[in-house]
Amino acid sequence: MQEIAHEATTYLQRMAEAADVHLTVLAVDDKVTWKADRGACFTLLKNLLENAIQHAPAQTSVSMEIQGNTITMRDRGPGVEAAQLPAWINHDAKQRKALLNGFPRSD
């Protein structure tokens, strides 16, 4: 997953530079084996990073930390309004399910 995360950040580097946002990837444990479609993982990480870049204020950073089987994204964007959170979580759950079941998939 670390390699895919680095590929996604490299892919979006020009976008981040244009937005004056710094991208970082920190992989604490690279011994975990992820059983998921590589292309789907790239698309998922790229989409998360792209969204974070679009909403992060200039001169801030977007970071992705991979620790064991967990990926954590952090940015300084405005976040999700409380009223939108249930729909956002539901959409995110569908993305994870599709990823684990061998993307592509539409629900």
Side-chain angles (χ1 to χ4, degrees):
M1 192 59 66
Q2 177 183 0
E3 183 179 326
I4 298 169
H6 283 291
E7 289 173 10
T9 56
T10 299
Y11 182 82
L12 293 171
Q13 189 60 44
R14 281 195 280 164
M15 179 185 184
E17 288 172 1
D20 197 16
V21 173
H22 180 73
L23 299 177
T24 61
V25 175
L26 174 63
V28 177
D29 183 3
D30 62 350
K31 295 178 181 160
V32 172
T33 300
W34 291 70
K35 294 185 180 184
D37 181 83
R38 182 180 181 82
C41 289
F42 176 84
T43 300
L44 178 69
L45 297 181
K46 180 190 71 70
N47 289 350
L48 289 169
L49 286 166
E50 190 171 37
N51 184 60
I53 293 166
Q54 290 173 348
H55 296 286
Q59 299 182 350
T60 61
S61 65
V62 170
S63 65
M64 181 186 320
E65 181 179 324
I66 303 169
Q67 185 172 12
N69 63 354
T70 303
I71 299 172
T72 304
M73 297 284 298
R74 289 193 170 84
D75 66 62
R76 298 290 177 236
V80 177
E81 292 182 29
Q84 297 174 331
L85 199 53
W88 187 81
I89 290 171
N90 185 42
H91 176 74
D92 190 49
K94 287 181 182 178
Q95 291 268 357
R96 284 192 306 270
K97 182 178 178 184
L99 178 65
L100 294 173
N101 288 328
F103 215 81
R105 177 184 171 130
S106 61
D107 290 328

